[in-house]
Amino acid sequence: MAPGAATLEADYTHGRLYYLAMVWIVGLLLATGMVVFRKCRVSESRKYAWIPVCVFLGGFVLCVLSFANIYTFHKMPECFCLTFAAFWESSLQVGLLSSNGYYRDFFLESTVAAQIVDGEGRTVYRAKGAPRLTGEQLRAAARDAVMLDANARLRSAPVQDGRVYWVEDVSRINRMREQLAEINAQLSEENELIRAENELKRQRAQIEEKNRLMDAMIRLVQPQLLQIQRLLEDGNGQKLKRVCILGAYVKRRVNLALICERDAAVPVEELTHCVRESLTYLTQYGVSCALHQDGSGCVGGREVQTAYDFFEDCLEAALPSLSALMVRVECEERFSIRLMMEDAAGRPDMNRYASEGRLTIDDSDGEQCATLSFERGGERA
């Protein structure tokens, strides 16, 4: 052991730092009391300032007695703690320090519509604005939120030895929902107007397209329609038969144009059907007719329409003296239509067809043979 070192058997003594700490503690407590007294604005409470002073003096005496080993029930640190706690409690009791009290009254005056019930469902605290709840409502709200009315929702949460219940005001949420419903209704009306407008535009576009097609179809067969009108004005039997021939062409030509409007390439059988119907009425007119088709496949819509127009122009030019007609439609390496006519009255203007395809006219043997051919794919032969 080092010379001069203290042992457990030696007497316990205090150094200078100990006394300095004691002075600091006492001075700090005195300064605290002075600050509390000056900060207090309640004159009635300041009249009782002597009570904390007495508590302080009593604690000081207790500390001195403990230091002198006269009072041995508590040691010095414990005496200081008791003095400090007693000082603050006395300041609170006389009102030098503001503190809350009357908690039941505070809860009663609260603007929160809440109440606290014990474990048996008896109300312990209830605010003025809180509704009186039945046992069924308490049990239901303990499981989940309950709507008391359209704008009030009852909720709960567990607390020690009971539950707290409060009412939420959902009127603002309801107003927002109503506003959203109004906005949705307005949007629905606008959407209905937009759909109606789009439907009107679609119908208008359909009507415009139908009118366009109608105008185009009338332009295609206008010469035949004018002929039909003139022939009907006379009204004899032979002219009525010719009206039937022109009517067949008008019907089949319009139908062919609509098919070609939809499809860029059409089967060659469409041309054969058109020619066959025209020949049916031509037979009734008194002309011997025959039709042959060689090959099959699809050809351009423009070429099919030109071929049928060529057939009709040759037929109208050959009447009324035409006695026999044989038509051959070929769709192999080339697409062509050939008309072999006996006793044809004349021939049509061929300038148009000469620019559309390869046109040949042969009448060397007394019969007129007219052929219009096209390269497959629509290129000029």
Side-chain angles (χ1 to χ4, degrees):
M1 181 179 293
T7 63
L8 293 176
E9 291 79 10
D11 294 334
Y12 183 80
T13 60
H14 301 288
R16 294 179 180 179
L17 186 60
Y18 176 82
Y19 293 107
L20 182 62
M22 294 299 104
V23 172
W24 168 256
I25 292 173
V26 174
L28 183 61
L29 190 57
L30 287 174
T32 301
M34 293 175 61
V35 171
V36 169
F37 180 79
R38 290 184 61 186
K39 293 291 184 179
C40 180
R41 295 293 183 264
V42 183
S43 58
E44 186 67 23
S45 298
R46 297 180 70 171
K47 292 180 182 180
Y48 297 98
W50 57 270
I51 296 177
V53 173
C54 292
V55 171
F56 171 75
L57 292 177
F60 181 76
V61 171
L62 184 64
C63 291
V64 171
L65 294 176
S66 176
F67 181 77
N69 289 326
I70 297 174
Y71 176 75
T72 59
F73 189 73
H74 293 96
K75 301 298 182 182
M76 275 293 295
E78 297 171 338
C79 293
F80 273 117
C81 291
L82 289 173
T83 303
F84 191 80
F87 172 79
W88 281 110
E89 182 62 27
S90 62
S91 297
L92 288 171
Q93 292 297 327
V94 301
L96 289 177
L97 289 175
S98 300
S99 62
N100 292 331
Y102 307 102
Y103 290 102
R104 182 184 292 273
D105 295 334
F106 284 149
F107 195 86
L108 178 66
E109 299 297 332
S110 174
T111 58
V112 179
Q115 54 188 297
I116 299 175
V117 300
D118 58 16
E120 297 180 358
R122 294 189 296 267
T123 302
V124 180
Y125 297 101
R126 183 174 61 241
K128 284 183 177 180
R132 294 186 179 276
L133 304 175
T134 64
E136 181 63 27
Q137 290 175 325
L138 293 175
R139 288 188 293 272
R143 295 189 297 269
D144 198 1
V146 175
M147 296 300 298
L148 299 178
D149 54 44
N151 297 320
R153 179 170 58 192
L154 179 64
R155 304 193 65 178
S156 71
V159 295
Q160 184 177 1
D161 298 329
R163 293 187 76 87
V164 59
Y165 294 83
W166 70 95
V167 178
E168 293 180 342
D169 185 6
V170 295
S171 58
R172 183 177 179 184
I173 298 176
N174 291 336
R175 287 194 299 270
M176 293 177 64
R177 288 178 177 173
E178 292 175 358
Q179 292 175 358
L180 288 175
E182 292 177 0
I183 293 173
N184 289 333
Q186 293 176 359
L187 292 177
S188 297
E189 292 177 359
E190 292 179 1
N191 289 336
E192 289 296 329
L193 291 176
I194 292 173
R195 281 194 290 268
E197 184 178 356
N198 292 335
E199 179 65 20
L200 183 61
K201 289 180 179 179
R202 186 187 64 81
Q203 293 178 359
R204 185 179 300 166
Q206 288 181 345
I207 293 172
E208 291 177 354
E209 179 65 15
K210 290 179 180 179
N211 290 336
R212 183 189 68 81
L213 290 175
M214 183 64 68
D215 293 340
M217 298 303 104
I218 291 175
R219 284 194 300 269
L220 282 175
V221 296
Q222 189 170 18
Q224 286 73 26
L225 293 176
L226 293 176
Q227 289 187 57
I228 291 173
Q229 184 178 2
R230 288 194 299 267
L231 292 171
L232 288 175
E233 291 176 355
D234 295 339
N236 60 46
Q238 194 68 8
K239 289 185 178 181
L240 289 178
K241 292 180 180 179
R242 189 164 182 177
V243 167
C244 292
I245 296 173
L246 293 172
Y249 169 77
V250 169
K251 183 184 75 169
R252 299 304 306 188
R253 182 65 178 87
V254 169
N255 184 66
L256 188 61
L258 292 176
I259 294 174
C260 295
E261 181 80 17
R262 185 188 62 214
D263 302 322
V266 297
V268 72
E269 286 77 11
E270 292 292 341
L271 175 60
T272 304
H273 295 328
C274 295
V275 173
R276 181 178 292 112
E277 185 165 347
S278 294
L279 293 182
T280 300
Y281 289 98
L282 187 60
T283 302
Q284 299 296 324
Y285 189 78
V287 179
S288 298
C289 301
L291 173 63
H292 300 281
Q293 177 182 336
D294 295 331
S296 61
C298 291
V299 294
R302 179 179 177 183
E303 287 74 19
V304 170
Q305 296 180 80
T306 302
Y308 192 43
D309 290 341
F310 174 73
F311 163 82
E312 182 65 21
D313 286 347
C314 291
L315 178 61
E316 292 180 16
L319 293 175
S321 61
L322 181 66
S323 61
L325 172 63
M326 185 176 71
V327 182
R328 181 181 296 275
V329 177
E330 296 183 1
C331 186
E332 294 177 341
E333 294 183 0
R334 292 184 179 181
F335 166 59
S336 66
I337 182 171
R338 176 177 298 175
L339 283 76
M340 292 171 283
M341 298 171 284
E342 292 183 2
D343 303 324
R347 67 176 63 177
D349 182 12
M350 298 299 180
N351 293 329
R352 169 195 170 188
Y353 301 107
S355 61
E356 294 287 342
R358 175 175 293 177
L359 176 63
T360 58
I361 303 293
D362 184 11
D363 54 2
S364 58
D365 56 355
E367 295 182 358
Q368 187 179 120
C369 181
T371 305
L372 180 64
S373 61
F374 306 89
E375 290 288 344
R376 294 294 297 275
E379 296 182 0
R380 182 174 176 178

